[in-house]
Amino acid sequence: MKNKPGSGGVIRKLRKKFAGRWDLLLIFAIPFAWYILFQYVPIYGIQIAFRRFNPGLGIVKSPWVGGIYFLQFFKSYYFWTLLRNTLFLSLYQMAVGFPIPIILALIINEIRFKKFRKFLQNVTYIPHFISVVVVVSMLVLFSNTQYGLFNKIGMLFGNPATDYMAKAEYFRPLYVLSTVWQMMGFNSVIYIAALTAIDPALYEAALMDGATRLQKIIHISLPCLLPTIIILFILRIGSVMELGFEKAYLMQNPINMETSELISTFIYKNGIQQGQFSYSAAVGIFNNVINFILLITANFISRKATETSLF
């Protein structure tokens, strides 16, 4: 097939540009290879969800069973419990955790005392580097009925000593609030970066017009942040079903299982601990399909309503 007129010149220009940027391409090749190797190559293995996987036979030679594992999961007595717990916890965390980094970024942006602004950023950012194991251990210590911080504070208001980690109704608040505390500083970084890109002339013009600080936030800062907020919200919608199993698994005990058992912990227990690879793979595919549908839907609605979208 012959190239279109002028395409040869374009190709030569591209080759010349690539030849002059070989060092940047080499740096790019490393993460690109990692992404292909660990994100796309494993897609080949999802077929075990449709096979009765036998490690001795391998993936291809294992017998094909179709969607039997999907039906098994949908008909199980725990299907609706897992779905309800996962959705409720994720929406709870989104409702509480999504706006807080935005508010924190606005507060930090409005602080004029430079040293205090840096101090507040560091204090809220440092918890991100604390291990999940350490965070859960802190929750266990704070919930202790004898010397726990939560009970010490509660007793000041006349509340009886309670082991919050052993109560099913306290699992979600503890999970969400500790996650917000750990992640709000880290999640606010992108909003702070977006705020610093706003033209200072807008604030100066508003000040000359007599606008208060709150009015500048409402009419300048928030509108300029809106595209960033929408993009991050779409991404968050696309991961509604993705709750890491580590923290929930560490916080689980036989008493709070009715609210702490999530799809992610279920996959871990059945896939890794019990070796039901095909069944857990089917559950994982169902989880990801729901996320994909939510992502496409949220992106479509955002594009129609606000003309801001991922694609």
Side-chain angles (χ1 to χ4, degrees):
M1 181 178 179
K2 294 182 179 180
N3 292 331
K4 295 181 180 180
S7 61
V10 173
I11 294 174
R12 282 194 297 272
K13 289 181 179 179
L14 289 175
R15 286 178 179 174
K16 186 179 294 185
K17 287 184 178 180
F18 288 154
R21 296 290 185 268
W22 65 269
D23 50 347
L24 297 178
L25 290 174
L26 182 62
I27 295 174
F28 171 74
I30 297 174
F32 181 74
W34 178 91
Y35 201 82
I36 294 296
L37 183 63
F38 291 100
Q39 300 295 327
Y40 282 93
V41 173
I43 293 177
Y44 169 80
I46 67 173
Q47 61 179 297
I48 67 173
F50 304 93
R51 298 178 181 273
R52 186 171 288 108
F53 179 64
N54 185 333
L57 297 176
I59 295 177
V60 178
K61 294 183 178 180
S62 296
W64 183 270
V65 295
I68 186 174
Y69 293 114
F70 293 92
L71 293 175
Q72 180 182 340
F73 179 60
F74 296 151
K75 293 180 179 179
S76 62
Y77 69 92
Y78 44 74
F79 171 73
W80 291 110
T81 300
L82 293 174
L83 188 61
R84 182 181 65 251
N85 287 346
T86 303
L87 281 174
F88 193 89
L89 183 61
S90 183
L91 294 176
Y92 185 5
Q93 182 168 293
M94 186 188 302
V96 177
F98 189 80
I100 287 180
I102 301 173
I103 296 171
L104 177 63
L106 291 171
I107 292 173
I108 292 175
N109 186 62
E110 290 298 318
I111 296 175
R112 295 292 174 257
F113 188 43
K114 189 174 181 181
K115 290 185 177 179
F116 181 68
R117 184 169 68 245
K118 289 185 176 180
F119 171 77
L120 183 59
Q121 277 188 273
N122 290 332
V123 167
T124 55
Y125 188 80
I126 288 174
H128 172 70
F129 299 99
I130 300 177
S131 168
V132 174
V133 177
V134 175
V135 172
V136 176
S137 299
M138 291 168 62
L139 292 176
V140 172
L141 292 174
F142 292 165
S143 300
N144 188 278
T145 55
Q146 296 180 359
Y147 52 80
L149 178 63
F150 296 155
N151 283 297
K152 291 293 185 182
I153 296 174
M155 289 178 182
L156 295 176
F157 297 93
N159 296 325
T162 304
D163 187 357
Y164 294 96
M165 293 292 288
K167 298 285 186 178
E169 61 268 27
Y170 291 116
F171 169 79
R172 289 168 181 149
L174 288 175
Y175 183 99
V176 170
L177 295 177
S178 61
T179 301
V180 170
W181 168 76
Q182 187 177 14
M183 299 300 297
M184 65 179 180
F186 178 80
N187 292 336
S188 68
V189 170
I190 191 168
Y191 297 114
I192 295 173
L195 286 169
T196 58
I198 298 175
D199 188 356
L202 295 175
Y203 292 107
E204 293 173 3
L207 184 62
M208 292 179 65
D209 290 338
T212 64
R213 180 169 292 186
L214 181 59
Q215 288 174 329
K216 287 189 288 185
I217 292 174
I218 294 174
H219 297 290
I220 299 176
S221 299
L222 282 176
C224 292
L225 270 183
L226 191 59
T228 303
I229 293 173
I230 291 174
I231 294 298
L232 292 179
F233 185 72
I234 293 173
L235 291 173
R236 183 64 186 86
I237 289 290
S239 59
V240 162
M241 302 292 288
E242 292 295 332
L243 287 171
F245 80 93
E246 300 96 338
K247 189 173 184 179
Y249 182 73
L250 290 170
M251 291 178 65
Q252 278 184 355
N253 56 62
I255 302 175
N256 67 13
M257 196 67 70
E258 62 181 275
T259 57
S260 64
E261 186 71 312
L262 310 175
I263 291 179
S264 58
T265 58
F266 179 81
I267 292 173
Y268 172 75
K269 292 175 182 177
N270 284 268
I272 304 299
Q273 294 184 339
Q274 299 181 19
Q276 300 180 21
F277 302 111
S278 297
Y279 185 48
S280 59
V283 177
I285 290 176
F286 163 77
N287 205 43
N288 291 327
V289 167
I290 297 297
N291 279 332
F292 179 74
I293 293 173
L294 290 174
L295 175 64
I296 297 298
T297 303
N299 188 76
F300 175 79
I301 294 174
S302 176
R303 186 171 65 247
K304 293 295 183 181
T306 66
E307 298 183 357
T308 301
S309 60
L310 290 173
F311 46 86

